[in-house]
Amino acid sequence: MKITKICCIGAGYVGGPTMAVIAQKCPQIQVTVVDLNEERIAAWNDENLDNIPIYEPGLDKIVGEARGRNLFFSTDVEKAIDEAQVIFISVNTPTKTFGKGKGMAADLKYIELCARQIAKIAKDDKIVVEKSTLPVRTAEAIKSILDNTGNGVQFQILSNPEFLAEGTAVQDLLNPDRILIGGDSTEEGAKAIQSLVDVYSNWVSIDKILTTNVWSSELSKLTANAFLAQRISSINAMSELCEKTGADVNEVAKAIGMDSRIGAKFLKASVGFGGSCFQKDILNLVYIAKSYGLNEVADYWEQVIIMNDHQKRRFSSKIVQTLYNTVSDKKITFLGWAFKKDTNDTRESAAIYVADDLINENAKIAVFDPKVSRKKILADLDYLESRNAENNANAILSFEDPYEACKNAHAIAVLTEWDEFAQYDWQRIYDSMQKPAFVFDGRNILNRPALEKIGFVYQGIGS
Ligand code: UDX
Ligand code: ADP
């Protein structure tokens, strides 16, 4: 099947950038991204490209080039489904907050709604592509809904997981390590796979496009994220040991990273990983393993999460202990709230949990993040349901200027590794703070000797 029209349901961190790049690279294909969220679609259509809802370096330029030509953002979900030959599902799959699998299994409500809607509308054969990260065997559920509630048309389900990392989404999409496409091993399945291979081969070399069966593709996504997260928890575990023994985790990471079997990436000790994928995907893996009675497998992977939770809590405890065991009414300034640099995404950011701990100790948290609004910060805290919204609002101050944020603070905590933090005038910051002036560098990005020379009491991770 030659693809001329693509629809993507879900205009979020995955759907938006991915479709923008497909549209840019395939001008012959009309790409329509739909979402129920009217505000989000309006933002994607905003004439001022600074206002598109997702901050990713380089994304504004690509949207600017393709939008209105062959890239469209709309709330008319039905029309887009009806017209497309290929429908990507990129909706959110949050962890369940209720019932069986609470806190662990993925809530597939939005996926099911999409499947039912596609089934209702489709009047000709369609290829449905799972783009969201999903538990293994979700394709089977989607297929069952489509086949049982559809209008007798044929559906092919493909799994095409997204490996882009936020903050580098555009580069990752333009130069992917690999594209993975899973499909049925029937003749129709092979044809559907080929149609999608033809889309990607507009800019990705064919040797980087891997085709597998559906379950391998779904499981590969969870496995990739579990392995990456495991590396971070492994180095973070070592960071605690380094602090006790006098070793330096940066030196250890460098030394082991030069072993070509280990490799240098994903060995940065930190205040703990965040983001929408790692925790959710590992919890999914744990849940699936448990549901097959594979308790050792489940326990093995769960430890990655336990270590990560410990790392976040260890950071807040260290702040309290160092500030003479009390942070009550003390201003503590957070540099960074996003879960990593170069994104405005805050999902599962370590900052949320560290702030929550410190607010429990009656601290006043001042936040400066170059891309995150106060509204988002408060929404993140309210989501934890640790206290009421008014108490959260009273405990959080937020600033548009980093120097204002740091004024009169007892301590500064670096939660996100934004490049600009290392470039600040740290003498000016020191002069405006309470003394002793403490810095807790949760990302090991500041120049320790320079800060100590100014007079700061500096504590990094793992040294
Ligand atoms: C991740 C995967 O990398 C991506 O392939 C998948 O599609 C989605 O999940 P993302 O969550 O966007 O991407 O960001 P990533 O760069 O993987 O970072 C995740 C978290 O780990 C961040 O909080 C980051 O700060 C932290 N991290 C990363 C470390 O603490 N140390 C490291 O060495 C690397
Ligand atoms: P991700 O990081 O996976 O892209 P996001 O939460 O950023 O997740 O984006 C998912 C988007 O999917 C949201 O904007 C949400 O409004 C949208 N969405 C969820 N369910 C539906 C649906 N049934 N139809 C259209 N859009 C949906």
Side-chain angles (χ1 to χ4, degrees):
M1 191 196 291
K2 192 159 163 44
I3 307 303
T4 55
K5 283 187 179 167
I6 288 177
C7 156
C8 172
I9 309 180
Y13 284 91
V14 173
T18 310
M19 292 304 127
V21 168
I22 291 183
Q24 190 210 27
K25 291 293 177 187
C26 312
Q28 73 284 12
I29 300 177
Q30 181 181 314
V31 181
T32 306
V33 190
V34 293
D35 203 297
L36 297 172
N37 183 334
E38 287 176 14
E39 204 184 323
R40 210 167 206 183
I41 290 297
W44 279 113
N45 283 321
D46 199 304
E47 264 179 49
N48 181 351
L49 289 165
D50 288 340
N51 294 337
I52 58 174
I54 282 161
Y55 173 71
E56 277 293 341
L59 180 61
D60 49 353
K61 205 165 151 263
I62 291 183
V63 171
E65 184 186 326
R67 196 176 62 186
R69 177 189 74 187
N70 66 325
L71 175 65
F72 302 93
F73 295 92
S74 160
T75 50
D76 194 343
V77 181
E78 298 201 353
K79 178 163 176 269
I81 292 175
D82 180 36
E83 292 179 349
Q85 296 116 358
V86 177
I87 300 155
F88 284 84
I89 304 185
S90 295
V91 300
N92 37 334
T93 51
T95 304
K96 279 185 81 173
T97 53
F98 55 88
K100 190 159 182 274
K102 177 179 168 177
M104 220 169 244
D107 186 348
L108 297 179
K109 179 170 75 178
Y110 304 109
I111 297 281
E112 176 166 347
L113 281 171
C114 285
R116 288 187 184 276
Q117 199 163 17
I118 295 168
K120 191 179 88 186
I121 293 158
K123 293 190 279 304
D124 51 10
D125 297 353
K126 306 272 186 210
I127 298 171
V128 176
V129 186
E130 300 177 338
K131 197 74 189 159
S132 319
T133 309
L134 298 168
V136 186
R137 301 201 84 93
T138 305
E140 201 166 48
I142 297 179
K143 183 154 184 52
S144 162
I145 294 167
L146 290 172
D147 288 347
N148 285 299
T149 63
N151 305 312
V153 300
Q154 293 297 311
F155 292 104
Q156 280 300 320
I157 322 288
L158 300 179
S159 159
N160 171 221
E162 188 48 72
F163 293 105
L164 68 82
E166 288 172 33
T168 53
V170 171
Q171 276 317 310
D172 295 343
L173 286 161
L174 292 174
N175 305 301
D177 286 348
R178 77 315 206 174
I179 296 287
L180 181 56
I181 303 173
D184 271 356
S185 39
T186 56
E187 198 181 319
E188 291 75 30
K191 275 191 202 152
I193 291 175
Q194 191 55 45
S195 302
L196 198 54
V197 170
D198 291 343
V199 172
Y200 283 109
S201 60
N202 278 292
W203 79 97
V204 181
S205 74
I206 208 83
D207 53 306
K208 286 192 171 170
I209 305 179
L210 201 65
T211 61
T212 64
N213 79 33
V214 181
W215 327 128
S216 300
S217 169
E218 288 179 336
L219 186 59
S220 298
K221 173 68 195 255
L222 297 189
T223 308
N225 279 343
F227 274 49
L228 290 169
Q230 182 198 43
R231 283 175 72 94
I232 303 169
S233 275
S234 298
I235 199 72
N236 281 344
M238 292 307 157
S239 77
E240 190 170 15
L241 196 54
C242 285
E243 287 169 27
K244 295 281 181 235
T245 57
D248 179 332
V249 79
N250 294 320
E251 293 177 350
V252 173
K254 187 162 184 198
I256 65 160
M258 284 171 76
D259 185 325
S260 62
R261 294 166 303 175
I262 297 174
K265 290 179 181 164
F266 269 71
L267 285 178
K268 269 190 231 106
S270 68
V271 54
F273 61 75
S276 69
C277 284
F278 284 175
Q279 169 154 323
K280 192 182 77 179
D281 289 357
I282 293 177
L283 290 174
N284 264 319
L285 207 55
V286 170
Y287 184 72
I288 294 163
K290 277 195 179 149
S291 69
Y292 287 108
L294 308 178
N295 294 326
E296 290 77 7
V297 176
D299 290 348
Y300 178 76
W301 287 109
E302 193 166 15
Q303 202 58 38
V304 174
I305 301 290
I306 293 171
M307 186 61 224
N308 197 48
D309 288 340
H310 171 66
Q311 188 75 350
K312 291 182 267 187
R313 210 161 312 114
R314 202 164 78 74
F315 189 73
S316 45
S317 302
K318 184 159 46 170
I319 294 177
V320 177
Q321 271 170 26
T322 309
L323 297 188
Y324 315 108
N325 282 318
T326 175
V327 289
S328 183
D329 286 326
K330 287 181 180 167
K331 178 178 175 183
I332 298 178
T333 300
F334 278 23
L335 292 180
W337 188 266
F339 82 98
K340 63 188 280 196
K341 71 172 179 179
D342 292 337
T343 179
N344 60 348
D345 194 352
T346 62
R347 286 176 288 182
E348 290 301 329
S349 180
I352 306 168
Y353 297 91
V354 175
D356 188 53
D357 284 351
L358 294 176
I359 296 171
N360 282 342
E361 298 284 340
N362 289 337
K364 292 268 184 260
I365 309 292
V367 185
F368 170 76
D369 186 292
K371 292 286 171 195
V372 181
S373 67
R374 176 176 169 80
K375 191 173 150 208
K376 191 89 170 279
I377 294 167
L378 288 176
D380 288 336
L381 278 171
D382 290 346
Y383 187 75
L384 295 183
E385 295 183 351
S386 304
R387 62 193 74 74
N388 68 35
E390 196 188 333
N391 289 344
N392 279 332
N394 287 335
I396 290 277
L397 314 157
S398 79
F399 293 84
E400 309 250 307
D401 174 67
Y403 297 99
E404 282 302 313
C406 295
K407 210 178 258 175
N408 290 322
H410 286 261
I412 293 173
V414 177
L415 275 302
T416 312
E417 73 281 24
W418 287 99
D419 292 335
E420 64 178 70
F421 296 163
Q423 313 305 325
Y424 289 169
D425 179 347
W426 282 92
Q427 181 70 53
R428 180 177 161 197
I429 292 175
Y430 179 80
D431 292 342
S432 75
M433 285 175 66
Q434 306 272 351
K435 306 291 169 348
F438 295 95
V439 170
F440 299 90
D441 187 353
R443 298 290 187 162
N444 291 345
I445 54 161
L446 302 179
N447 183 339
R448 175 177 192 157
L451 261 63
E452 285 178 340
K453 194 154 166 251
I454 292 171
F456 281 103
V457 181
Y458 174 97
Q459 293 203 13
I461 301 278
S463 61

